[in-house]
Amino acid sequence: MRRTRICRARATTTVAPSAVTLRNTPDAPVWMAVSLNIDAGRGAPGVVDSGNYTTYAGPVYLTARGECIQWNAAIDGVGANAHGHCG
Protein backbone atom coordinates (compact mmCIF):
# COMPACT_ATOMS: atom_id res chain seq x y z
CA MET A 1 0.00 0.00 0.00
CA ARG A 2 1.32 3.44 -0.91
CA ARG A 3 0.68 6.36 1.35
CA THR A 4 1.52 10.05 1.21
CA ARG A 5 2.90 11.51 4.39
CA ILE A 6 4.04 15.08 4.81
CA CYS A 7 6.60 16.11 7.38
CA ARG A 8 6.78 19.83 7.97
CA ALA A 9 9.05 21.89 10.16
CA ARG A 10 7.35 24.91 11.67
CA ALA A 11 8.81 28.16 10.40
CA THR A 12 10.93 30.13 12.85
CA THR A 13 13.27 33.04 12.43
CA THR A 14 15.99 30.60 11.36
CA VAL A 15 14.08 27.73 9.70
CA ALA A 16 11.92 28.15 6.59
CA PRO A 17 8.74 26.06 6.17
CA SER A 18 9.65 22.66 4.71
CA ALA A 19 7.88 19.55 3.43
CA VAL A 20 8.81 16.05 2.26
CA THR A 21 6.79 13.14 0.83
CA LEU A 22 7.75 9.73 2.23
CA ARG A 23 6.88 6.19 1.17
CA ASN A 24 5.98 3.64 3.83
CA THR A 25 8.49 1.17 2.37
CA PRO A 26 11.24 2.00 -0.15
CA ASP A 27 10.78 0.04 -3.37
CA ALA A 28 11.14 0.43 -7.13
CA PRO A 29 11.00 4.07 -8.27
CA VAL A 30 7.55 5.64 -8.64
CA TRP A 31 6.50 9.18 -9.49
CA MET A 32 6.44 11.36 -6.36
CA ALA A 33 6.04 15.07 -5.75
CA VAL A 34 6.01 17.63 -2.97
CA SER A 35 5.45 21.39 -3.15
CA LEU A 36 5.10 24.47 -0.96
CA ASN A 37 3.30 27.62 -2.08
CA ILE A 38 2.18 30.88 -0.54
CA ASP A 39 -1.58 30.50 -0.05
CA ALA A 40 -4.28 32.87 -1.32
CA GLY A 41 -3.06 33.11 -4.92
CA ARG A 42 -0.55 35.91 -4.46
CA GLY A 43 1.34 34.79 -7.54
CA ALA A 44 4.58 34.23 -5.66
CA PRO A 45 6.65 31.34 -7.02
CA GLY A 46 6.39 28.08 -5.11
CA VAL A 47 8.93 25.29 -4.81
CA VAL A 48 8.48 21.76 -6.18
CA ASP A 49 10.45 18.52 -6.20
CA SER A 50 9.07 15.75 -8.39
CA GLY A 51 10.35 12.73 -10.24
CA ASN A 52 10.73 8.96 -9.97
CA TYR A 53 12.05 8.19 -6.50
CA THR A 54 12.44 5.06 -4.37
CA THR A 55 11.99 6.63 -0.92
CA TYR A 56 11.03 10.32 -0.81
CA ALA A 57 10.56 13.57 -2.70
CA GLY A 58 11.99 16.73 -1.14
CA PRO A 59 12.61 18.25 1.18
CA VAL A 60 11.54 21.59 -0.24
CA TYR A 61 11.90 24.91 1.59
CA LEU A 62 10.04 28.19 1.07
CA THR A 63 11.03 31.59 2.35
CA ALA A 64 7.65 32.99 3.35
CA ARG A 65 7.85 34.55 6.78
CA GLY A 66 4.47 35.81 7.93
CA GLU A 67 2.58 34.13 5.05
CA CYS A 68 -0.01 31.35 4.95
CA ILE A 69 1.53 28.25 3.36
CA GLN A 70 -0.13 25.51 1.30
CA TRP A 71 1.61 22.19 0.76
CA ASN A 72 0.81 19.39 -1.69
CA ALA A 73 2.21 15.89 -2.08
CA ALA A 74 1.61 12.82 -4.23
CA ILE A 75 2.89 9.29 -4.62
CA ASP A 76 2.03 7.41 -7.80
CA GLY A 77 -1.11 9.48 -8.39
CA VAL A 78 -2.40 9.47 -4.79
CA GLY A 79 -2.20 12.93 -3.31
CA ALA A 80 -2.77 15.06 -0.26
CA ASN A 81 -2.82 18.78 0.36
CA ALA A 82 -3.31 21.12 3.28
CA HIS A 83 -3.02 24.70 4.41
CA GLY A 84 -0.40 25.45 6.99
CA HIS A 85 0.50 27.98 9.60
CA CYS A 86 -0.28 31.64 9.01
CA GLY A 87 1.62 34.41 10.66
Side-chain angles (χ1 to χ4, degrees), residues 1 4-5 9 15 19 22 24 26 36 43 49 52 63-64 67 74 79-80 82:
M1 176 177 167
T4 299
R5 180 172 51 172
V15 178
L22 302 170
N24 285 341
L36 285 173
D49 181 30
N52 290 312
T63 302
E67 300 286 350

Side-chain angles (χ1 to χ4, degrees), residues 22-76:
L22 302 170
R23 290 176 76 176
N24 285 341
T25 306
D27 204 345
V30 295
W31 185 84
M32 301 174 68
V34 62
S35 68
L36 285 173
N37 299 284
I38 295 175
D39 203 4
R42 291 189 164 191
V47 291
V48 177
D49 181 30
S50 65
N52 290 312
Y53 299 115
T54 59
T55 308
Y56 62 91
V60 292
Y61 302 91
L62 181 65
T63 302
R65 188 174 178 185
E67 300 286 350
C68 293
I69 304 300
Q70 178 180 9
W71 58 94
N72 299 284
I75 298 176
D76 202 20

